[in-house]
């Protein structure tokens, strides 16, 4: 409990250091979500050595978070000492989904997924977190894979998509109709997805098998392909 706030603060300091050479910054979560927002590239980003080192720092921090959730000691993230910076930590994870490194994106969505599982359940709700999920996390689960440089045929990208749909699945399971409406009625159509296809995907997602969400991932991949073919 005493070490983690220091680790988080030091991580933010390192990530915030200005690069000596021009490099692609972390793009912030868009305040309004449109399909033409393409701030972030994956395959086309030329990442400097400094940015690679920063991505390694991100990975270490994200792995630490994953271990915290895996071992169910996530209460250390909501201590009195942590609460003032908790949403900064969550925003950092959210921004890391667009770092330009697929392995970082995968770890980021895995951490977000775990936070959703633990902090939006009826028995363990974190005050204000459901609003953060609906306004920030859920839109980013669509924004990131809709980028034209997100390679749907890439093996790591497929793993990222599986983390994304698992995150979406738990949002719909825990937040129920509110989550479905925000995703299928608001977010997907606002990003150019056909409303009928959005509703169909919502049904597939809601009825998914938590033990095997690969069919849901494949349905989401097809949804993205349909959007790109328009």
């Amino acid at each position: 409990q005493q070490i983690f706030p220091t680790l988080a603060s030091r991580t933010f300091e390192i990530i915030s250091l200005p690069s000596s050479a021009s490099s692609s910054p972390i793009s912030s979560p868009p305040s309004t979500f449109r399909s033409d927002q393409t701030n972030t590239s994956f395959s086309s980003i030329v990442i400097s050595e400094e940015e690679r080192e920063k991505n390694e720092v991100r990975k270490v921090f994200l792995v630490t978070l994953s271990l915290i959730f895996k071992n169910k000691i996530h209460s250390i993230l909501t201590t009195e000492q942590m609460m003032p910076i908790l949403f900064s930590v969550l925003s950092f994870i959210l921004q890391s989904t667009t770092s330009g490194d697929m392995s970082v994106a995968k770890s980021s969505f895995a951490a977000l997924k775990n936070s959703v599982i633990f902090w939006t359940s009826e028995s363990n709700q974190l005050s204000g977190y459901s609003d953060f999920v609906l306004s920030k996390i859920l839109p980013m689960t669509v924004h990131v894979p809709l980028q034209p440089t997100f390679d749907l045929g890439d093996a790591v990208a497929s793993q990222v998509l599986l983390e994304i749909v698992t995150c979406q699945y738990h949002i719909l399971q825990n937040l129920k109709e509110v989550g479905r409406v925000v995703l299928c009625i608001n977010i997907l159509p606002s990003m150019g997805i056909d409303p009928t296809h959005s509703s169909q995907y919502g049904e597939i997602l809601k009825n998914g098998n938590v033990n095997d969400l690969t069919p849901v991932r494949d349905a989401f991949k097809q949804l993205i392909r349909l959007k790109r073919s328009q």
Side-chain angles (χ1 to χ4, degrees):
Q1 293 183 4
Q2 295 176 345
I3 294 174
F4 190 80
T6 303
L7 174 63
S9 298
R10 182 57 183 150
T11 298
F12 298 159
E13 287 175 13
I14 294 172
I15 299 303
S16 300
L17 288 173
S19 299
S20 58
S22 176
S23 58
S24 299
I26 303 173
S27 66
S28 298
S31 55
T32 57
F33 300 92
R34 307 188 310 274
S35 60
D36 61 349
Q37 289 176 309
T38 56
N39 296 334
T40 304
S41 299
F42 288 95
S43 60
S44 62
I45 286 181
V46 177
I47 303 178
S48 68
E49 189 61 33
E50 280 182 287
E51 288 304 311
R52 287 192 184 92
E53 291 175 358
K54 288 182 180 181
N55 276 342
E56 290 303 315
V57 173
R58 290 186 181 98
K59 289 177 188 177
V60 170
F61 186 70
L62 291 166
V63 167
T64 302
L65 283 172
S66 295
L67 290 172
I68 287 172
F69 283 113
K70 183 178 180 179
N71 291 286
K72 299 183 179 180
I73 54 173
H74 51 281
S75 59
I76 70 172
L77 301 175
T78 54
T79 62
E80 184 177 350
Q81 188 179 7
M82 269 297 298
M83 284 306 292
I85 66 169
L86 177 60
F87 279 89
S88 295
V89 171
L90 294 168
S91 294
F92 164 81
I93 302 170
L94 199 65
Q95 291 173 346
S96 293
T97 64
T98 63
S99 69
D101 184 317
M102 278 292 183
S103 62
V104 172
K106 178 187 174 186
S107 297
S108 301
F109 278 115
L112 292 171
K113 170 197 69 181
N114 286 322
S115 71
V116 166
I117 291 171
F118 285 108
W119 290 333
T120 62
S121 64
E122 291 184 2
S123 60
N124 194 32
Q125 288 190 3
L126 180 64
S127 177
Y129 194 57
S130 292
D131 290 338
F132 184 83
V133 167
L134 294 172
S135 65
K136 300 295 183 183
I137 296 179
L138 197 50
M140 196 59 90
T141 66
V142 180
H143 172 74
V144 169
L146 273 183
Q147 301 311 301
T149 48
F150 189 97
D151 185 359
L152 295 174
D154 180 75
V156 181
S158 289
Q159 295 172 15
V160 174
L161 280 178
L162 188 58
E163 294 292 353
I164 284 174
V165 300
T166 306
C167 186
Q168 293 175 344
Y169 172 84
H170 286 288
I171 291 172
L172 264 63
Q173 291 300 308
N174 289 356
L175 300 184
K176 304 188 187 312
E177 185 64 8
V178 173
R180 188 196 68 80
V181 168
V182 170
L183 177 63
C184 301
I185 306 300
N186 298 343
I187 296 172
L188 288 171
S190 75
M191 294 193 186
I193 306 294
D194 180 90
T196 300
H197 295 155
S198 299
S199 296
Q200 290 171 347
Y201 173 69
E203 287 301 309
I204 293 170
L205 181 63
K206 184 177 69 173
N207 297 318
N209 178 0
V210 68
N211 296 314
D212 181 15
L213 288 170
T214 51
V216 179
R217 180 197 61 192
D218 293 343
F220 191 44
K221 193 179 290 188
Q222 180 62 22
L223 194 69
I224 296 168
R225 288 198 175 105
L226 286 171
K227 169 64 178 70
R228 291 180 178 180
S229 68
Q230 291 176 357

